[in-house]
Amino acid sequence: MRTSHVGRFGLAAILALLLGLFLSAVPAQAGTPLLSVSSDKATATPGSSVTLTLTLTNPHDTPVQFVYQSVQPTYVTTQNTGLKYAFSACGGNVSACDTGATSGLVHHTVPVAAGATTTITLTYAIAADSACGSGARIDFYTYIYDEYQAGAASDSGIFDVPGNEVTCS
């Protein structure tokens, strides 16, 4: 049995309609970046401190009920054994924070309403006897895990965090 041109057109039209419906079912804030990160300085010297600001935006249509975030040194940073620094403080919308090592762990204050933001700060101090100069750079990455839809759904991701050059003067 031969397929008519009308039958072929009908099948193509149905597939196009289904694809269009599927692509239009994107969450309301899908274009919103999950995390924006900044550092208060691009270079630092031994004995100084650096503050990182991390702003999380809830891209979901429901409130986020739980947010865990860790900030870890990159592999290259851990390989430079002369670098000496430690996280010393955190602030902002924080319900729990662990500092005092080369990484920081934070629980954001929740809930975070749909489309709303929450901002935390993490400060690290560079030791007075830290390595500095050529190749002395402290860089981080952050892992975020959040739960929404009353805990029925979750997201996670890894993001780069700007670090800084440790200069000698």
Side-chain angles (χ1 to χ4, degrees):
M1 180 172 195
R2 294 184 66 181
T3 306
S4 71
H5 292 291
V6 174
R8 286 184 195 161
F9 176 75
L11 179 59
I14 290 171
L15 289 174
L17 177 66
L18 290 175
L19 181 62
L21 290 173
F22 175 74
L23 293 176
S24 69
V26 176
Q29 295 92 16
T32 305
L34 181 64
L35 184 70
S36 64
V37 184
S38 65
S39 175
D40 69 339
K41 55 185 84 162
T43 62
T45 56
S48 67
S49 57
V50 178
T51 299
L52 304 172
T53 301
L54 303 107
T55 301
L56 174 84
T57 301
N58 176 0
H60 310 294
D61 292 331
T62 63
V64 168
Q65 287 90 14
F66 176 79
V67 181
Y68 165 86
Q69 185 168 13
S70 70
V71 177
Q72 307 288 327
T74 62
Y75 177 75
V76 173
T77 299
T78 64
Q79 295 304 296
N80 189 337
T81 57
L83 289 174
K84 297 179 185 175
Y85 66 94
F87 281 95
S88 56
C90 60
N93 296 325
V94 175
S95 63
C97 185
D98 181 16
T99 61
T102 58
S103 60
L105 304 173
V106 178
H107 289 273
H108 290 252
T109 302
V110 290
V112 180
T117 62
T118 179
T119 301
I120 58 135
T121 58
L122 281 168
T123 301
Y124 61 94
I126 301 169
D129 62 343
S130 177
C132 59
S134 180
R137 183 166 179 84
I138 301 172
D139 286 306
F140 301 97
Y141 69 92
T142 183
Y143 169 76
I144 298 176
Y145 172 83
D146 69 77
E147 294 178 356
Y148 59 101
Q149 289 182 352
S154 66
D155 273 337
S156 64
I158 295 175
F159 302 88
D160 291 327
V161 175
N164 60 21
E165 286 289 327
V166 181
T167 60
C168 295
S169 57

